[in-house]
Structure formats: structure tokens, C-alpha cells
Amino acid sequence: MTDILVEADRASRTYKRGATAVEAVVAASCRVEAGSRIAVMGPSGSGKTTLLRLMARLDAPTAGSLTWPGLRAGEPLRPAQIGVVFQTASLIPALTSVENVELPILLAEERAGVCRDPPRHRALAALAACGVEPMADKLPEQLSGGQAQRVALARAMAAQPRMILADEPTGQLDRAGALWLIDRLLDWADRAHAALVVATHDAAVAERMRSVWHMDHGRLEAHE
Ligand code: ADP
Ligand code: MG
């Protein structure tokens, strides 16, 4: 099995807005391999979120292509194979924190037909890894912005995906909190042999990664 988890070949995504077209991502070529630690930096509007959505197969390119050679073909990519941390609030409002985190575990296991540790235990462990186990029984509306981001990160880790795509996962945290959470994410990725792609504005967060990609007006500079 190849080590390349996702590869983009001159992938573009253009949005039509009335008569005009917004070129959110322009001919991006890049690859994420097992064990990659990548920061994606760039000003607001430069295309970071669009690129992550393409890599998660939440969206399709309008030109060029993306392939996922190292992931199981013919199976949905999420949540068993790719964990996503969205930039905006994404917890399900009617479910508690631990139920939000349990959901992808249940979906992944239903597909794989395996039953290891009970899903609730694994969800609680993921919450503990992100420092929010005490919030397990709280609803999203009872959480601060930073706590909600930690729960969302726990949810992305919970089903042990091979790659996490995190879109500004520390945007609601102060510097110390951001670095603490990124270090938890790195610890988890080392243990799970997973790849990380983290869009961030924070140079200190980006410094924790091995590679830094830059985006500007939809153009990606991807260094190994
Ligand atoms: P970033 O995450 O770096 O802030 P985005 O990927 O969100 O950048 O946006 C890149 C560009 O695409 C921006 O000009 C944005 O306004 C535009 N864009 C993003 N999503 C949409 C959409 N659903 N419809 C129209 N334009 C969009
Ligand atoms: Mg964004």
C-alpha cells in the first residue's frame, strides 16, 4: 500500500458568484503522506478552507484532480479514514459532548464491523486527551468557544482516522492553550501513525509542524 494519502494534481475550485467567478484554489499540486505534519498558512480568503474541503472530499475540484491512493478505495473517506475539524462551530447541538465524539466511532465501526473498546470509553478517552472530559455531559451551547473547539478535535481523533484535516482548530484559544492543544494533537498523531494538515494563522502553531505550505490568492506553494 502506498504511503501517499492524498495527492492533488493541478486542482482548482472556482465558485460562481452571479456573473463573476471566484478562483478559491488555482491549480494546486501537493501530496500528504503517512506521518506528514503540515501547516497551511495564508491570509484570510487565500483558499485554505477550500483546499482542506477538497482534500476531505467534501467538495470536488472544478479542474484538475485529487486522488487518495493510500486510503481504502470504494469506501467513504469519512469518518473512518479522514477526521475533519471545521473552522466554524460544527458540533450537533442536541447531542452532548461525549455523544458528539461517539458518533464517528459508531459510524466507523458499523462499516468495519469491529468492536474493540466500547465506543463510549473511547469517546471519553479522546475528550480526556483534549482536556475536556469534565464537559462530557454538557451540550454544545454550554461550552465556551475554546471548549467546543477541543471537543471538535476529540471528535476528529476518535475514530482513529489515518489523516486529520484541521481548519484553524486553535482560533478560539490563547497562545498557551493553542500550543497545548496542538501538542496533544501531535502526540495522538504519533501514536496513531496519522498524518496532520492544520490550517492556521499562528506562526507558533505552524512551527510545531515539519512542513509549512503557503497560500496566496488561491495559489499554493507546497514544500515537502
Ligand atoms: P480561507 O480559508 O483562506 O479564508 P476560503 O477557502 O474560505 O479561504 O475562501 C477562498 C475564496 O473563496 C474567498 O474569496 C471566499 O470568499 C471564496 N469562497 C469560499 N467559499 C465560497 C462559497 N461557498 N461560495 C462563493 N465563494 C466562496
Ligand atoms: Mg478558512
Side-chain angles (χ1 to χ4, degrees):
M1 194 147 93
T2 169
D3 261 359
I4 300 172
L5 301 179
V6 54
E7 185 160 36
D9 183 17
R10 284 161 292 148
S12 299
R13 177 63 165 98
T14 302
Y15 293 107
K16 291 221 165 51
R17 208 182 264 163
T20 59
V22 180
E23 293 188 308
V25 172
V26 185
S29 294
C30 59
R31 66 167 55 159
V32 179
E33 299 180 4
S36 288
R37 303 278 179 268
I38 296 161
V40 184
M41 298 198 80
S44 184
S46 59
K48 303 181 298 296
T49 293
T50 305
L51 179 70
L52 262 55
R53 287 175 53 81
L54 290 171
M55 294 201 293
R57 208 154 74 181
L58 289 164
D59 195 2
T62 43
S65 65
L66 287 106
T67 50
W68 291 266
L71 301 180
R72 287 189 293 275
E75 277 192 32
L77 292 182
R78 289 160 299 107
Q81 305 202 62
I82 301 179
V84 182
V85 184
F86 295 92
Q87 184 170 2
T88 48
S90 64
L91 299 176
I92 298 173
L95 301 183
T96 64
S97 299
V98 71
E99 288 165 348
N100 265 280
V101 176
E102 211 175 334
L103 200 54
I105 302 174
L106 294 169
L107 291 169
E109 296 209 333
E110 189 177 320
R111 213 161 283 290
V114 291
C115 195
R116 287 176 284 174
D117 249 10
R120 179 62 56 114
H121 287 184
R122 293 170 59 196
L124 289 169
L127 287 171
C130 294
V132 277
E133 196 182 0
M135 316 313 286
D137 297 321
K138 301 268 190 260
L139 291 166
E141 68 188 21
Q142 298 171 296
L143 305 176
S144 72
Q147 288 168 339
Q149 277 193 316
R150 293 177 191 215
V151 174
L153 189 61
R155 182 175 62 181
M157 297 170 170
Q160 302 280 323
R162 298 206 54 211
M163 171 166 75
I164 283 187
L165 302 170
D167 197 357
E168 307 203 22
T170 61
Q172 307 257 349
L173 301 170
D174 61 22
R175 168 61 55 77
L179 292 180
W180 183 87
L181 196 63
I182 287 298
D183 287 342
R184 299 289 74 70
L185 180 59
L186 287 164
D187 289 346
W188 169 86
D190 287 344
R191 280 200 308 275
H193 305 292
L196 295 180
V197 181
V198 180
T200 181
H201 275 112
D202 188 337
V205 168
E207 265 179 30
R208 292 288 213 271
M209 303 292 150
R210 281 199 290 272
S211 316
V212 182
W213 295 355
H214 290 280
M215 288 204 82
D216 190 22
H217 293 93
R219 298 193 183 270
L220 170 70
E221 250 185 68
H223 304 286
E224 287 303 309

